[in-house]
Amino acid sequence: MERKVEMEEQNKLLNDVTQADYKYGFVTDIETDIIEKGLNEDIIRLISKKKGEPEFMLNFRLAAFKKWEKMEMPDWAYLKIPPIDLQSISYYAAPKKQPKYESLDEVDPELLDTFNKLGIPVEEQKHLAGVAVDVVMDSVSVKTTFKETLAEKGIIFCSFSEAVKEHPELVKKYLGKAVPVSDNYFAALNSAVFSDGSFCYIPKGVRCPMELSTYFRINAANTGQFERTLIVADDDSYVSYLEGCTAPMRDENQLHAAVVEIITMDRAEVKYSTVQNWYPGNKEGVGGIYNFVTKRGVCRGVSSKISWTQVETGSAITWKYPSCILLGDNSVGEFNSVALTNNFQQADTGSKMIHIGKNTKSTIISKGISAGRSDNSYRGLVKVMPGAKNSRNFSQCDSLLLNDTCGAHTFPYIDVRNKSSIVEHEATTSKIGEDQIFYCNQRGIDTETAIGMIVNGYAKEVLNKLPMEFAVEAQKLLQLSLEGSVG
Amino acid sequence: MLKIKNLYASVDGQEILKGINLEIKPGEVHAIMGPNGSGKSTLANVLAGKQEYEVTAGEVTFLGENLLDKAPETRAKDGLFLSFQYPVEIPGVPMANFIKTAVNEHRVHRGEKELTAGQFLKLMREKMELVEMKTKLTNRSVNEGFSGGEKKKNEIFQMAMLEPKLAILDETDSGLDIDALRTVANGVNALKSPETSSIVITHYQRLLDYIVPDFVHILYHGKIVKTAGKELALELEEKGYDWIKSEKGN
């Protein structure tokens, strides 16, 4: 009996430790221009008109909308998704004041204050060596820095709207090539209504001299966020792209359905890193972001490489499978993920690696961490086509449970259609060791710090793949997401 | 330093310690010997504050304060160190980071400044030499892939880094070859001072050739049944525990 009581106490302690309040819950009061709620063809025409888009974009949106109308929301994920009323969402919000900023002094002080609260002071970012920031506030880019430095190398890094206006030929050529409009329900929705996002083009033979990063932030209440990112790396080029986000605390749920497309040509490499920290809802599971994301890269050229690295700690619901289509011979795809769920969060995340070219290689490293009453699933597909001779995949899916009330699930799908390829899959599930925590305690380290340390150690293999400054942020985030009040 | 009065403790509802009395003064080395299952490791874990051990009666004061009310990390920072019988592996956490965090927690507790990276490295090198520990071990994850001997050396290295007032060595000699045993013992002896004390838990007299105790206690069925000087260890080595068992009855 005593043993049982002790166990309950231990669980209670772990629960206390893992129940921290969301630290980035605040709302920025900036005037926004919001169109009426609802979704129909007229709304899509209005969005396109408000953005002053060329006809090909309107046609793209309308084609997507027509497909979407015939689609149903997917229900195959291990998620309980409350009904989402897409007609009660406003599909466009833009800050009213849109001056062109020459210096940070001209930027709305409230916005700067927001960044300060986030611990990402924009004024310091200027000095941060090698980081260009394209800040997306709601849907329209407010500030772009380092653009000129990049322009000297012929690199295009701008908001998606700007790209549509200034580089329509590139957008037209590559948009929807990795994620077709009819790919899935949420991708079709995004294609129809997307507001803004980022566009990046690295010309032939250019190594982007700095990490490119964008901070996303949902702000206006009741506004769905539909970001669109397109990255094209031409022959022999390289870029490392960082995406990180936090969102203010809200009670009503907010839908987020982003699409990211990457295309790499011969011998090009794109590294895409994400730290995702949308508002996860409160301890009782009220509120939080619904995050339905489609991320896909196509290694179109020979010996090209795309790697996805993600640290997912936020959102009430995460539905996300960054994938690689390995079309070019000898191309390489990588997926490295840490997904942490706490309280009532649900995550169904993983990757798809589709081997089409010869000698293609892919690696999947997935580290799930579950706490509270959350559910954390890995779902992955490795598909090797008949022509993908001598291809290789290695997948490793680990789950770490912090208590007895959370869940970890693994759904690996493997489909190999030739005999010369090798596919390996390893999986482990473990519970955080009370002995490990006690060992730390005995050295003077409190339980909260100990759990942060153990979790970071567990996720290290993936954190190591992140660029330095991001890795530090991610480590803090993992600790924060599990932090609480230990007496 | 440490006063244990009439201590009773149980685990899983089973009573293991049945009225322990023990006093340790500064500068003293106490050896606790006894057959398997007599409660030696339980005593060590109760003193360190491991959760599943429930104290049902008795009191323990450490440096004049009630020890049993304190969280394990507070006991550690007050100067109580346990060298684990089975050191735990923590994958992905480099040993150097781990011990740096521990050292700084201790320093903050004492109202001192945290060490700079340079000061820490210097201290670490010095203490590693003490136990002849290889540099590469501190770059590895805590105890992961360490041999049995390396794990035990690592415990003494941590002890050297944390400079405890009272060290409890729980079967630090088990699984050590004679060279490693000597190294570990030398490390322990080097840390000895008139202000620090230690409790050496062991099955064998072997370790006590190197770490010479002031007192030897025999723990049997959760009680200290005999206390004497270091010669008691030799007697045990010669006669085994059977005479204790027959003397005390089963």
Side-chain angles (χ1 to χ4, degrees), chain B residues 74-175:
Chain B
T74 313
R75 300 180 193 196
K77 288 183 283 192
D78 284 345
L80 186 145
F81 180 89
L82 171 62
S83 167
F84 284 69
Q85 185 179 357
Y86 305 107
V88 180
E89 299 183 0
I90 309 178
V93 179
M95 191 56 221
N97 293 16
F98 176 79
I99 195 65
K100 189 175 178 215
T101 307
V103 166
N104 283 331
E105 292 282 347
H106 276 69
R107 293 182 67 89
V108 169
H109 184 70
R110 292 194 298 256
E112 294 165 11
K113 269 192 182 167
E114 294 191 4
L115 292 179
T116 63
Q119 289 168 325
F120 170 75
L121 282 174
K122 190 167 167 277
L123 180 71
M124 191 167 77
R125 263 186 231 118
E126 192 184 301
K127 302 298 187 185
M128 283 172 78
E129 238 165 70
L130 193 73
V131 287
E132 297 167 27
M133 202 161 101
K134 293 176 203 123
T135 320
K136 60 169 193 196
L137 289 185
T138 49
N139 298 329
R140 284 213 219 135
S141 298
V142 177
N143 290 319
E144 201 183 35
F146 285 36
S147 71
E150 284 168 340
K151 281 183 183 172
K152 294 300 172 79
K153 279 187 187 177
N154 190 25
E155 293 294 292
I156 305 307
F157 159 69
Q158 292 176 58
M159 175 180 153
M161 290 294 286
L162 300 173
E163 299 181 326
K165 297 194 176 74
L166 173 68
I168 304 168
L169 309 179
D170 189 5
E171 299 202 21
T172 299
D173 51 341
S174 67

Side-chain angles (χ1 to χ4, degrees), chain A residues 349-370:
Chain A
T349 183
S351 182
K352 285 193 276 186
M353 293 291 173
I354 315 292
H355 294 254
I356 300 170
K358 292 186 191 76
N359 306 314
T360 46
K361 270 192 209 136
S362 65
T363 312
I364 294 174
I365 309 281
S366 164
K367 302 267 183 180
I369 301 157
S370 327

Side-chain angles (χ1 to χ4, degrees), chain A residues 14-22 280-286 316 340-346 369-375 403 405-407 481-483:
Chain A
L14 273 169
N15 283 337
D16 288 347
V17 166
T18 54
Q19 283 177 5
D21 288 323
Y22 184 75
N282 69 9
K283 285 174 199 167
E284 282 74 46
V286 178
L340 183 153
T341 53
N342 197 353
N343 299 317
F344 286 88
Q345 280 178 278
Q346 307 176 66
I369 301 157
S370 327
R373 307 179 67 85
S374 67
D375 265 306
N403 61 23
T405 52
C406 55
S481 306
L482 292 170
E483 204 172 79

Side-chain angles (χ1 to χ4, degrees), chain A residues 13-23 277 313 338-343 345 369-372 374 400-403 406 432 447-456 458-459 474-486:
Chain A
L13 181 69
L14 273 169
N15 283 337
D16 288 347
V17 166
T18 54
Q19 283 177 5
D21 288 323
Y22 184 75
K23 300 218 166 169
N277 185 27
T313 61
V338 175
L340 183 153
T341 53
N342 197 353
N343 299 317
Q345 280 178 278
I369 301 157
S370 327
S374 67
L400 183 69
L401 300 164
L402 264 62
N403 61 23
C406 55
I432 196 161
T447 301
E448 196 168 296
T449 310
I451 290 175
M453 212 169 187
I454 295 164
V455 165
N456 270 304
Y458 163 79
Q475 268 183 18
K476 281 189 199 148
L477 196 54
L478 287 182
Q479 191 127 6
L480 270 180
S481 306
L482 292 170
E483 204 172 79
S485 48
V486 176

Side-chain angles (χ1 to χ4, degrees), chain A residues 2-3 6 9-10 13 435-436 438-447 449 453-454 457-458 460, chain B residues 12 50-52 54 73 76-77 80-82 84 88-89 91-93 98 101-102 105-106 143 155 158:
Chain A
E2 280 83 352
R3 173 77 186 169
E6 292 291 348
E9 275 175 16
Q10 175 80 30
L13 181 69
D435 285 347
Q436 288 175 327
F438 178 62
Y439 191 76
C440 296
N441 288 160
Q442 215 302 306
R443 300 302 184 245
I445 300 165
D446 63 56
T447 301
T449 310
M453 212 169 187
I454 295 164
Y458 163 79
K460 193 182 171 193
Chain B
D12 285 340
K50 195 166 189 194
Q51 270 212 344
E52 59 254 44
E54 195 191 356
E73 62 270 26
K77 288 183 283 192
L80 186 145
F81 180 89
L82 171 62
F84 284 69
V88 180
E89 299 183 0
V93 179
F98 176 79
T101 307
E105 292 282 347
H106 276 69
N143 290 319
E155 293 294 292
Q158 292 176 58

